[in-house]
Amino acid sequence: MAAAAPLLAPPAERADAAAADGSEDQLFVVHDVSWEEYEALLAVLGDRAGVRVTYCEGVLELMSPGGPHEGRKTILARLVEAYAEEAELPLSGYGSMTVRKRLAKRGVEPDECYVLGTVEDGEIPELAIEVIEKSGTIDKLSVYAGLGVPEVWFLKKGKLSVHLLGPDGYAEAGQSRFLPGLDIAALTELMLRKGDQTTVVRAWRAMLRERGAR
């Protein structure tokens, strides 16, 4: 990467356009990016809506999510948060906060992330959620493993997969370790149900109360 300035303007402008017209996800990849250039880009973007940045060992991805992406991640987040409320869990959400470690040469902004309790500055989430509409070149699990995030969920093509971090990396599991009482199959079914989000969340709450959320 020769300089930061040429990189910044085009993705930002195109990300704003994608957000404005509600189009599909827009993905940009840049190679040979130093850690200092990555941090400079984060500083320039700040809290700009519509751009999520992933960095792994010199490769930089900028993703501008489209409407369908944001809709799916929002309903999933609302269902997770409703479950926590019904189960009386001290869940705290931190959205797409930037998680990065210089020594690991990795950084990421998940679609949603959570901890039980609160997260202090510099700490990592216990659960990260990624909605995959368009695959990039960076292996997201490699990024999350380097950051030490204990659990990652991927929502791709209507399938919700749970990945738990162990000594040998991530392994796919049928149950969440972070939310062990959560029925992943039922959550996925409700998430894919047609209708407005509030109606879906109400149906989810009714199901949880009928079953007993704990």
Side-chain angles (χ1 to χ4, degrees):
M1 178 177 174
L7 169 65
L8 300 176
E13 292 168 0
R14 292 180 66 182
D16 288 343
D21 64 16
S23 62
E24 66 178 15
D25 293 1
Q26 302 296 310
L27 184 67
F28 308 90
V29 181
V30 185
H31 295 270
D32 300 320
V33 180
S34 70
W35 182 264
E36 290 73 20
E37 289 168 324
Y38 164 58
E39 290 200 318
L41 175 62
L42 292 178
V44 170
L45 290 177
D47 295 328
R48 181 190 297 271
V51 180
R52 296 194 185 114
V53 184
T54 303
Y55 180 85
C56 185
E57 298 181 342
V59 179
L60 183 77
E61 286 186 358
L62 297 97
M63 193 270 289
S64 172
H69 181 127
E70 293 296 87
R72 292 183 182 100
K73 76 101 179 178
T74 299
I75 186 57
L76 180 53
R78 290 183 65 176
L79 293 174
V80 168
E81 290 159 14
Y83 170 80
E85 291 174 10
E86 295 297 326
E88 299 182 2
L89 296 174
L91 185 74
S92 295
Y94 291 89
S96 298
M97 79 172 190
T98 302
V99 185
R100 64 187 188 271
K101 287 185 179 179
R102 184 186 184 99
L103 290 178
K105 297 181 181 179
R106 283 162 168 75
V108 70
E109 295 171 352
D111 283 307
E112 298 286 347
C113 62
Y114 297 95
V115 299
L116 291 176
T118 61
V119 64
E120 301 298 327
D121 290 343
E123 293 189 5
I124 62 171
E126 295 174 88
L127 169 64
I129 298 175
E130 292 276 357
V131 176
I132 307 298
E133 297 287 328
K134 181 180 291 187
S135 297
T137 60
I138 293 178
D139 180 356
K140 285 288 186 74
L141 282 181
S142 173
V143 176
Y144 281 112
L147 296 170
V149 176
E151 184 168 330
V152 180
W153 295 2
F154 286 126
L155 175 60
K156 184 176 182 179
K157 296 182 179 179
K159 178 187 176 183
L160 181 62
S161 58
V162 175
H163 303 265
L164 305 180
L165 184 61
D168 299 320
Y170 286 99
E172 189 168 347
Q175 193 64 38
S176 169
R177 183 187 299 150
F178 180 69
L179 300 171
L182 179 63
D183 186 333
I184 296 295
L187 173 69
T188 304
E189 180 182 348
L190 263 294
M191 179 187 59
L192 298 175
R193 181 176 294 184
K194 293 183 179 180
D196 66 89
Q197 293 180 3
T198 297
T199 298
V200 173
V201 173
R202 284 175 178 166
W204 176 237
R205 286 186 183 274
M207 179 187 296
L208 292 174
R209 290 169 184 174
E210 181 179 349
R211 295 181 178 183
R214 297 176 192 273

